[in-house]
Amino acid sequence: MTTAPAAGVRDVPLPPVTPGPRRLFKHPLLMHYNRLAALVVAVNLVWAAARWPLPASSPGHAALANLALAVLVRQQYVVNLMFRLATRPPTSWPLKVRWTLGKVYHFGGLHVGGALAGAVWFLASVLAEPDGPGRAVGLALTGLLALVVATAVPAFRSRHHDLFEKVHRFGGWTALLLFWAHTLLSGAGPVPVVVLAVVTFSVALPWLRLRKVDVRIERPSPHVVLARFDHGETPFAGSSTAISRSPLKEWHSFANVPSPAEPGFRLTISRAGDWTGSFIDDRPSQVWVKGITTAGVANIETLFRKVVYVATGSGIGPCLPHLLAAEVPSRLVWATRDPRATYGDALVDEILAVQPHALVWDTSRHGKPDMVRLAYAAYRDFGAEAVICISNKKLTWQVVHGLERRGIPAYGAIWDS
């Protein structure tokens, strides 16, 4: 283990930023998530222009196609499939290609684009309908879709996440019922019914696996707990599990930490709000789980010959399964407050056993570091091809975009759910 700042990484010079046009495409506003959303909208505009004037049935069919895309692209089996396909190419492929494939976790842009386009198309189809029960249901559904879209706006979602989650869940279920009513009342053909059935099954599938399971809680400090599960599943490294204490109210996803030689898995849960604080203080003996374990951002590591993991605080949790599995040579940079007092000797020793050359920055002794500089120093010294950052939203974006604008592949969560 290297302790900082003795290693002298404070003074490591950063490489220059790339030329203007290349740097422009690394701006947060042009990240792949937004590009995918724009692509879906653009495809809809091109399709409409090519078929103009549109037949009477086209807006309804377009609405269903786009809203089906919005739902299915979030389905856990579909997410895992997208990750599996995107990470299949060998490391012999050109770095630029692998760099782009690594952005697979931005698939939420397809969800956003499909939802926006679908809502607009549905409004157009309803306005063209004659008066009657079908149109009344359509107008009610249009208002509900507008509410769901409005509460998903990032500014609102970040401030009122619990409300956003409830509107998305219960509003989505109600919208699905109204879609069925509208489809049947409008006398649509078999194709819309089949598509709607597939969407309904996709929404129901995770809930068909709802169950309450035992959990053992270890609390090395008031800041964090290690939740241990052994209910017959050992998830793959880099996946996440959603847990809840009230399944109809709220769900929280955490990275699974399986140990190569042990059954079951752990979740690292740190105090970051009311729910996690209550979980740490109460230490429940059972929680609800649903669906299947789902691939997370760090699964893209297999696209590269060597990677650097950058973590702050409990961000070590999503990194740990990859460090333990050691499928790809990696180097860890971890900045946290008093790691042994916060996370316990056992966890820290487990990390150092597989990462003896890790750079661990104790913020209680050395203050907050320049994480972009630390990440670049590790990237350069280790000869890595990419950096994966697991931290809070502000710092993740600082690291990811701070490196990418300098021509270094970097990845981190985008908080789109």
Side-chain angles (χ1 to χ4, degrees):
M1 177 181 73
T2 302
T3 57
V9 290
R10 287 186 188 273
D11 302 320
V12 171
L14 291 171
V17 296
T18 54
R22 286 182 58 195
R23 186 171 71 251
L24 176 64
F25 281 98
K26 301 304 178 185
H27 192 279
L29 291 178
L30 293 178
M31 64 180 177
H32 290 76
Y33 183 91
N34 293 336
R35 295 185 209 177
L36 288 173
L39 175 63
V40 173
V41 173
V43 168
N44 276 272
L45 292 174
V46 170
W47 178 82
R51 291 175 58 87
W52 195 265
L54 294 174
S57 61
S58 290
H61 291 161
L64 185 58
N66 279 279
L67 293 170
L69 170 66
V71 173
L72 295 177
V73 80
R74 289 288 195 191
Q75 217 286 326
Q76 293 164 316
Y77 286 101
V78 175
V79 172
N80 286 344
L81 177 62
M82 287 190 292
F83 269 90
R84 192 171 297 117
L85 294 175
T87 57
R88 282 181 64 87
T91 55
S92 58
W93 280 28
L95 180 59
K96 285 187 177 180
V97 175
R98 291 180 282 131
W99 187 345
T100 300
L101 288 172
K103 299 296 183 180
V104 60
Y105 61 94
H106 287 252
F107 63 84
L110 298 174
H111 170 80
V112 171
L116 289 174
V120 172
W121 278 120
F122 189 76
L123 173 62
S125 70
V126 170
L127 292 178
E129 285 185 38
D131 288 334
R135 192 169 194 266
V137 172
L139 289 173
L141 179 51
T142 301
L144 182 57
L145 291 175
L147 175 64
V148 171
V149 169
T151 56
V153 172
F156 182 93
R157 185 176 63 198
S158 61
R159 290 186 186 139
H160 310 282
H161 191 272
D162 289 347
L163 178 59
F164 151 75
E165 188 175 342
K166 290 182 176 67
V167 170
H168 234 60
R169 178 177 300 118
F170 295 110
W173 292 349
T174 305
L176 194 55
L177 292 174
L178 291 176
F179 257 114
W180 273 109
H182 182 267
T183 300
L184 296 176
L185 287 171
S186 62
V191 173
V193 172
V194 170
V195 173
L196 202 52
V198 171
V199 170
T200 302
F201 178 72
S202 174
V203 172
L205 188 56
W207 293 92
L208 296 177
R209 295 173 58 91
L210 179 68
R211 52 184 167 157
K212 201 170 190 178
V213 300
D214 294 332
V215 57
R216 291 182 292 116
I217 306 293
E218 299 174 14
R219 189 172 73 171
S221 76
H223 176 72
V224 66
V225 294
L226 303 177
R228 295 183 178 271
F229 295 83
D230 188 8
H231 54 270
E233 291 189 11
T234 301
F236 60 91
S239 60
S240 63
T241 290
I243 64 174
S244 176
R245 300 176 71 179
S246 303
L248 291 179
K249 290 184 178 180
E250 58 182 321
W251 287 84
H252 298 264
S253 291
F254 300 93
N256 300 316
V257 185
S259 297
E262 299 178 6
F265 61 99
R266 293 165 288 171
L267 303 179
T268 304
I269 301 174
S270 64
R271 192 181 296 272
D274 293 340
W275 191 91
T276 53
S278 174
F279 192 95
I280 291 171
D281 294 335
D282 298 344
R283 285 181 278 184
S285 60
Q286 291 186 314
V287 295
W288 292 91
V289 297
K290 68 179 173 72
I292 63 170
T293 53
T294 312
V297 57
N299 278 271
I300 56 92
E301 66 165 8
T302 56
L303 286 167
F304 306 100
R305 297 184 180 93
K306 292 182 177 181
V307 299
V308 168
Y309 279 100
V310 176
T312 61
S314 59
I316 191 62
C319 301
L320 185 54
H322 297 282
L323 303 178
L324 295 175
E327 188 175 354
V328 176
S330 61
R331 179 68 55 85
L332 173 65
V333 177
W334 184 26
T336 187
R337 180 183 59 193
D338 201 345
R340 292 189 178 275
T342 304
Y343 297 92
D345 288 332
L347 183 65
V348 174
D349 289 341
E350 184 179 16
I351 294 168
L352 297 180
V354 294
Q355 283 284 315
H357 302 293
L359 171 59
V360 180
W361 185 293
D362 185 346
T363 58
S364 63
R365 294 177 57 193
H366 306 303
K368 293 183 178 180
D370 182 339
M371 293 303 292
V372 176
R373 202 173 296 274
L374 292 189
Y376 172 70
Y379 165 87
R380 181 198 63 184
D381 297 342
F382 188 53
E385 286 190 317
V387 173
I388 300 172
C389 180
I390 310 294
S391 182
N392 59 61
K393 185 174 183 178
K394 180 180 179 180
L395 198 146
T396 296
W397 283 23
Q398 284 180 354
V399 172
V400 171
H401 299 297
L403 293 175
E404 292 226 319
R405 65 200 296 263
R406 291 176 166 85
I408 298 170
Y411 306 88
I414 52 176
W415 286 271
D416 67 326
S417 62

